[in-house]
Amino acid sequence: MEIIKQQGLTLIELLVTVAIVAILASVAMPAFQQMVASNRVESTAEDMRNNILHARNYSMKGENNEDKVSHSLSFTSENGKITAWKVEKTAGGAELTSGTVGDQVNVSEYGESSSVGAITYNTLGYIAGSEDLTKRVFTVCDKDSNSGVMGKVVILFPSGSVMIKSANQSIEDPTGVKPMLGTSDICP
């Protein structure tokens, strides 16, 4: 008499495997969602910084070896929230680069004003009219305030340089109302 070996899985083994995979997925899913939201905030802040630097660089070196001409970064906003931006020649030139804000991210300029003014660079790379400017601070936050995602701050200095900081780092209040801004001030 020959002994026949069975191949395959029993129903119990299959159910145990499915249960283990379900438990691992339920543990990993919130961390994955937070990572995705954090990457959205980070990439929006980087995109904004890169477009600000494009405007500055185009102003200092010109386009396609043309004469230097000032460039600006203008914003489209709705209810005090920035929805898009574009880099263009100040003297009515064509759009050179642009960026948009995704549906899951809020971008705004920190301060009292609800309207966001353009950033114009002169041919030396400084912000035009920067004599009166201390700095401009833009906040980039996840729309879901309960997501636990740390916001980013894009800081623009009168010299034209740009810096990105995490919202949990010490940031001086550009309006002078508070000595330092905290995380709750940046992404309420």
Side-chain angles (χ1 to χ4, degrees):
M1 181 172 194
E2 284 185 43
I3 298 176
I4 301 172
K5 285 189 168 186
Q6 291 183 342
Q7 294 181 351
L9 300 172
T10 65
L11 182 59
I12 298 293
E13 291 171 332
L14 184 61
L15 288 175
V16 167
T17 304
V18 168
I20 290 172
V21 169
I23 291 169
L24 289 176
S26 67
V27 169
M29 191 55 118
F32 180 74
Q33 289 173 333
Q34 187 172 6
M35 181 194 69
V36 169
S38 178
N39 286 345
R40 272 195 303 259
V41 168
E42 179 107 17
S43 67
T44 301
E46 289 287 337
D47 190 30
M48 184 177 197
R49 180 189 64 121
N50 290 341
N51 277 278
I52 291 171
L53 290 175
H54 279 334
R56 183 179 190 212
N57 291 340
Y58 283 133
S59 295
M60 292 189 316
K61 71 172 183 133
E63 307 163 48
N64 303 323
N65 298 322
E66 294 175 9
D67 292 333
K68 294 180 187 179
V69 62
S70 63
H71 285 72
S72 65
L73 179 76
S74 58
F75 299 97
T76 304
S77 63
E78 186 175 301
N79 299 326
K81 304 289 184 195
I82 297 171
T83 56
W85 53 77
K86 63 182 174 181
V87 176
E88 58 194 349
K89 284 184 184 177
T90 305
E95 179 180 310
L96 302 172
T97 63
S98 63
T100 59
V101 177
D103 293 340
Q104 302 297 317
V105 179
N106 280 333
V107 178
S108 58
E109 184 168 8
Y110 181 82
E112 308 273 331
S113 154
S114 62
S115 63
V116 182
I119 300 168
T120 303
Y121 284 97
N122 61 27
T123 57
L124 297 175
Y126 292 101
I127 297 175
S130 62
E131 307 80 35
D132 302 327
L133 179 69
T134 53
K135 66 178 116 173
R136 289 177 73 175
V137 176
F138 298 91
T139 61
V140 183
C141 305
D142 188 48
K143 277 194 179 175
D144 180 11
S145 59
N146 297 324
S147 69
V149 173
M150 188 63 60
K152 296 288 183 183
V153 179
V154 180
I155 303 170
L156 176 61
F157 296 94
S159 64
S161 62
V162 184
M163 175 190 300
I164 296 178
K165 283 190 165 188
S166 291
N168 63 344
Q169 294 176 311
S170 296
I171 300 165
E172 292 180 20
D173 184 352
T175 62
V177 175
K178 297 180 179 182
M180 291 288 187
L181 297 178
T183 304
S184 61
D185 299 318
I186 294 167
C187 295

